[in-house]
Amino acid sequence: MTSEFMGPPWQADWTKEAEANRSALPTEACFLVDAARAELVTAKDPYFRGIDSDRELPAGMSVEPVQSTRPGGEHVLYFDHGRGWLRYHFAPRIADPQIVIDECFWQ
């Protein structure tokens, strides 16, 4: 283990509710969720801080904080042009940085 801050790919974990919601989706929606998760765990900064920092995401994906007053808090990754989202937070621990996905939704 190193004392330096680790970078991507990040560890990702799902809450039980988010995993159950993902499992209940149709197959084509699961592929969209998996693509969104892949973008999230490989991002240099999972919070996509800065102006236009999420412009490298594929078309139909965007990220924003849940509360604009808490840029280091929960965020939402929208996918499928806003038809679905993953709500998550990032724990930037030195030993084990991790993304926790709290909500998975697709309509």
Side-chain angles (χ1 to χ4, degrees):
M1 191 178 305
T2 178
S3 62
E4 294 180 25
F5 187 71
M6 298 157 117
W10 307 107
Q11 296 290 331
D13 195 15
W14 299 74
T15 62
K16 288 183 180 184
E17 182 180 354
E19 181 63 28
N21 290 345
R22 184 204 173 279
S23 297
L25 294 174
T27 304
E28 60 274 2
C30 285
F31 289 132
L32 294 169
V33 170
D34 291 345
R37 181 193 170 278
E39 290 294 332
L40 187 58
V41 299
T42 59
K44 183 177 179 181
D45 178 2
Y47 282 154
F48 297 90
R49 289 175 271 238
I51 297 172
D52 295 332
S53 60
D54 63 352
R55 68 178 169 214
E56 294 181 8
L57 287 171
M61 287 189 193
S62 63
V63 175
E64 66 181 36
V66 171
Q67 294 178 319
S68 62
T69 57
R70 297 191 62 216
E74 287 191 332
H75 276 60
V76 178
L77 170 63
Y78 296 99
F79 60 92
D80 196 17
H81 300 279
R83 291 185 63 203
W85 62 79
L86 300 176
R87 190 185 71 208
Y88 68 94
H89 65 275
F90 178 62
R93 302 178 294 238
I94 290 176
D96 185 25
Q98 180 178 7
I99 295 169
V100 178
I101 300 170
D102 299 310
E103 182 178 17
C104 175
F105 179 82
W106 183 80
Q107 57 183 349

